[in-house]
Each structure stands twice: as C-alpha cells, then as structure tokens.
Amino acid sequence: MMVNEVELRNFVVKSCTELLNDPKVVTPLINDIKEMFVNWVNEGIHYEVESHEEYGRWYYFLKEKKLSFEEMISLYQTLGDWKEEEHTGEKGVNFIPTTFAEKIYDLLYDFIYDKMLEISELTEESDVDELYEILCDEKWRFIDNFQEKYIDYLTPREVIQSKLIKEESK
C-alpha cells in the first residue's frame, strides 16, 4: 500500500521534533560527538590546511601540528567552532580535507534515516524511496536544531570535565 506523501512528510517532521526532545534518544548522540572531541584532544594533532592553485585546479595539503593538551583545548571557544574549523586528517570529495562538521553531519543523518525507517515501519520500496526524498528535504532542520540545542554552545573545558566526571563515576 502506497503511503500519502503529505502524511509521510508530516510524520517525518513530527517524529524528528519528538526525537530531538527525547533525552534517551539524543544522549548517546551527544556522547558520541563529545567522544569525537575528546579523542581529538587526546590525539594532540591539529591539522592546518594549505592549498594552492595550479593550472586551474586546487590542491590541498594537510599539515600536522602536534600540540599539548592545554593548547588543544584552547584552540576553539566552543564545540561549534571546533567542528566547523578543525579537520579530521582525512580527505573527502575532490580530496578536500574533511572537517568534524562533516563527520557529525554523517553521524546525525545516518541516525535520523535509520530511526525514521524503524519507526515508520515502511515495507514497500517505493515508500522507502519517498521517505528518503522527504528526509533529504527535512534533514537540515533536524541536524541544525540538534547541533544548536546540544552541541554548538559547549566549551572544550565543559566537554573534558563532563567526560572526566563520567569516567570517575564508573
């Protein structure tokens, strides 16, 4: 049975809003992102990107810079700044260095897509394709709202402190 596109879109928007406000759902995602940051700090490698143009093409190079713990957590005022500006050390499309914002986007998109498939209980391939198209339209709202509500404002010291408290309570 084919689902109605308008009903499916309304379902997706409503479900995304509910998921965004459910601590049981968002807490593991928040912790995954905090873990990404802590691992980056513990690794102690900050990447600087150098680029140059040659014959109309741009070439990007990642330059590793080893920093102390204190230097790492002092580089950015918030996790929002960190995710937008810091590079993972990997290269993505067209060999352009990947930022943590892209990794977080992938994590959140995969989560929301899987969750929508799970709670929608769609079985027909055409309905799943329709869900995918709707999510392509709606994902930005969920991802932006999630990051704004839970991630972007956190300071590096808050993240490190929360991680230390969590580890001590084990």
Side-chain angles (χ1 to χ4, degrees):
M1 179 178 106
M2 295 281 291
V3 295
N4 177 302
E5 181 184 345
V6 173
E7 287 176 10
L8 186 58
R9 184 174 297 280
N10 290 338
F11 170 80
V12 167
V13 171
K14 180 178 179 275
S15 298
C16 284
T17 301
E18 289 171 2
L19 289 172
L20 194 61
N21 293 311
D22 184 347
K24 285 184 273 181
V25 171
V26 297
T27 300
L29 288 169
I30 295 166
N31 289 338
D32 286 349
I33 294 167
K34 286 180 177 181
E35 188 73 30
M36 251 185 243
F37 176 78
V38 170
N39 289 342
W40 171 78
V41 169
N42 288 336
E43 193 174 278
I45 297 175
H46 166 65
Y47 291 96
E48 294 178 353
V49 176
E50 295 179 1
S51 61
H52 73 273
E53 181 187 10
E54 191 174 297
Y55 305 111
R57 290 190 58 146
W58 282 94
Y59 296 90
Y60 299 91
F61 304 93
L62 288 169
K63 184 177 167 187
E64 282 188 17
K65 190 173 182 183
K66 188 76 173 144
L67 299 176
S68 70
F69 174 85
E70 200 56 46
E71 290 171 318
M72 291 295 277
I73 64 172
S74 299
L75 278 174
Y76 303 105
Q77 289 187 344
T78 66
L79 252 60
D81 297 336
W82 164 76
K83 73 177 175 60
E84 294 297 330
E85 297 173 28
E86 187 60 43
H87 293 86
T88 64
E90 303 165 0
K91 290 188 177 182
V93 177
N94 295 323
F95 301 102
I96 297 173
T98 304
T99 63
F100 280 96
E102 293 164 280
K103 283 191 82 114
I104 291 169
Y105 166 85
D106 290 345
L107 172 79
L108 293 174
Y109 180 72
D110 289 348
F111 165 80
I112 197 67
Y113 181 72
D114 291 345
K115 207 62 163 163
M116 286 297 113
L117 276 178
E118 178 186 314
I119 63 179
S120 67
E121 299 175 353
L122 295 175
T123 54
E124 291 193 32
E125 192 174 325
S126 59
D127 293 342
V128 172
D129 290 345
E130 187 66 39
L131 175 66
Y132 178 78
E133 285 184 34
I134 290 170
L135 277 174
C136 285
D137 294 342
E138 298 295 331
K139 66 187 173 201
W140 299 110
R141 183 184 347 219
F142 174 82
I143 291 171
D144 289 346
N145 288 344
F146 177 91
Q147 292 181 118
E148 188 176 293
K149 187 172 183 175
Y150 298 111
I151 299 300
D152 288 350
Y153 68 91
L154 294 172
T155 68
R157 291 194 188 282
E158 287 173 325
V159 173
I160 297 295
Q161 191 63 35
S162 72
K163 190 73 176 146
L164 291 175
I165 290 169
K166 188 185 243 183
E167 302 257 331
E168 288 173 2
S169 66
K170 287 184 178 178

